[in-house]
Amino acid sequence: METALTRLVGVRHPVVQTGMGWVAGPRLVSAVANAGALGILASATMTLDRLRAAVREVAARTDAPFGVNLRADAGDAGDRVRLIIDEGVRVASFALAPSRELITELKEAGVVVIPSVGARRHAEKVAAWGADAVIVQGGEGGGHTGEVATSVLLPQVVDAVRIPVVAAGGFFDGRGLVAALAYGAAGVAMGTRFLLTSDSTVPDAVKARYLAATVKDVTVTRAVDGLPHRMLRTELVDALERSGRARALLHAVRHAAGFRRLSGLTWRRMVRDGIALKHGKDLSWSQVLLAANTPMLLRSAMVDGRTDLGVMAAGQVAGVIGDLPSCAELVEGVMAQAGEVIGELAAAPGGWVDAAMPG
């Protein structure tokens, strides 16, 4: 299936695996790339040396294009951009809107720039600055999320920009891909669906918690880091919501210290990143400190398998997923179902679509 996205980045299928911290490592990304979709490494939880090693590991596992996701507000974002350029990575993805200067530097080096956004105005801004495409995530998506549903946000963005738009938030199968294409998107991005594959390195006990979840077990809370965060509801989440602000801040300080040791960041760099985060989202200093909770609480679950001590970011689709296919099986199934749905629509009386639907 050829779309503006597949032509832009050189993949076979208009499907993107999002850059999930502690989850989107070399094994998952290379498996997605070999399946013909676009895999994206999550770099925010990696040191520069670890990121370079991860990029080279993916390149050794696949000849297909892949990307790296960056935090645009990180103090060393420029260093990471140069690493991407030096290592010949095809796509740079951003969790927040990157600056005009970073976009220009990447584009001049031939890197495709695809920021992720959660509002139409952000899509318009990065498009005006030269972004090649944009991933737009509706409120159904996992992790930090907004309040507007994908079905409302997606057509707004498609109508507002003239670059390829990739839909995220609520997608897990071929029917969703066809729906996104009908809205005018050039493909879909999925996080939770790729987390729940046999190629994902997330511990089996954690995957079991996801598979057992219903739609009602996926909640949005501010208790972890002061920002709206979609995740599985667990006893820990309940406890965090009941705890007072002073106790939450104490936990945040501890987690910040742990993340500093793992990431190799200095306290000065972490403070600079916190200032950037505060400015970008108009947060209080208490919320900035609480934001240190996220990397370590996610790591406890996604790496250590401690569902009692960690949090599990999840899109609402976690409540309707019940299997663990390989990435190859997942992508093949999505594309096969999409083809069947398009065929059925074309064959229906008064059919309004044909197999060349994507443009």
Side-chain angles (χ1 to χ4, degrees):
M1 182 182 289
E2 183 177 311
T3 71
L5 174 67
T6 63
R7 291 191 293 269
L8 177 66
V9 299
V11 294
R12 298 197 307 274
H13 306 303
V15 176
V16 177
Q17 162 255 306
T18 59
M20 301 164 281
W22 306 116
V23 176
R27 190 172 91 178
L28 179 64
V29 171
S30 58
V32 171
N34 284 326
L38 179 65
I40 298 180
L41 271 172
S43 78
T45 53
M46 297 180 184
T47 64
L48 276 173
D49 288 342
R50 175 59 192 135
L51 175 57
R52 182 175 287 103
V55 167
R56 291 177 179 179
E57 183 177 345
V58 175
R61 289 170 173 254
T62 182
D63 294 327
F66 64 95
V68 170
N69 180 259
L70 307 171
R71 267 188 56 188
D73 61 343
D76 62 350
D79 295 333
R80 292 171 184 262
V81 162
R82 285 184 285 278
L83 187 154
I84 285 174
I85 293 170
D86 292 343
E87 296 295 330
V89 175
R90 177 62 177 158
V91 174
S93 164
F94 286 89
L96 299 171
S99 66
R100 188 196 303 264
E101 292 73 23
L102 287 181
I103 292 176
T104 299
E105 183 177 359
L106 286 160
K107 286 175 64 70
E108 287 179 349
V111 180
V112 176
V113 180
I114 308 181
S116 296
V117 300
R120 180 181 65 184
R121 67 182 185 279
H122 297 152
E124 291 172 333
K125 179 171 70 174
V126 296
W129 287 353
D132 297 291
V134 66
I135 296 174
V136 54
Q137 177 177 306
E140 300 94 323
H144 292 119
T145 195
E147 298 178 348
V148 182
T150 304
S151 58
V152 176
L153 181 60
L154 177 59
Q156 282 187 321
V157 175
V158 168
D159 290 345
V161 300
R162 294 294 174 263
I163 57 176
V165 176
V166 180
F171 298 100
F172 65 100
D173 64 5
R175 295 171 298 179
L177 173 57
V178 174
L181 295 173
Y183 272 117
V188 296
M190 304 186 296
T192 304
R193 177 64 276 195
F194 278 108
L195 184 157
L196 293 173
T197 60
S198 60
D199 294 303
S200 164
T201 58
V202 171
D204 291 342
V206 177
K207 290 179 182 178
R209 288 293 296 267
Y210 278 95
L211 293 176
T214 68
V215 172
K216 292 183 178 180
D217 294 322
V218 185
T219 189
V220 175
T221 182
R222 291 178 178 266
V224 173
D225 57 11
L227 299 169
H229 202 146
R230 187 175 291 284
M231 60 184 62
L232 294 188
R233 177 160 290 285
T234 63
E235 295 83 357
L236 175 62
V237 172
D238 290 339
L240 289 171
E241 289 180 342
R242 291 194 303 268
S243 66
R245 176 55 59 90
R247 185 177 176 188
L249 290 176
L250 179 62
H251 284 301
V253 171
R254 273 202 222 105
H255 291 138
F259 182 59
R260 185 185 71 83
R261 289 192 297 271
L262 279 173
S263 65
L265 296 176
T266 64
W267 281 112
R268 178 175 294 183
R269 174 60 62 81
M270 290 182 69
V271 169
R272 275 210 307 267
D273 288 354
I275 291 172
L277 180 66
K278 180 180 186 297
H279 174 74
K281 293 189 175 296
D282 193 26
L283 304 177
S284 69
W285 282 112
S286 294
Q287 287 175 313
V288 170
L289 188 53
L290 282 169
N293 278 328
T294 304
M296 295 307 291
L297 287 176
L298 286 169
R299 186 183 190 279
S300 292
M302 300 304 169
V303 178
D304 300 334
R306 294 298 302 268
T307 58
D308 57 330
L309 297 178
V311 298
M312 292 166 279
Q316 284 185 303
V317 297
V320 296
I321 295 173
D323 59 350
L324 294 171
S326 68
C327 288
E329 291 167 339
L330 171 60
V331 173
E332 181 181 353
V334 167
M335 299 312 303
Q337 186 181 39
E340 291 169 2
V341 171
I342 291 173
E344 290 169 359
L345 291 171
W352 51 272
V353 67
D354 60 33
M357 175 184 170

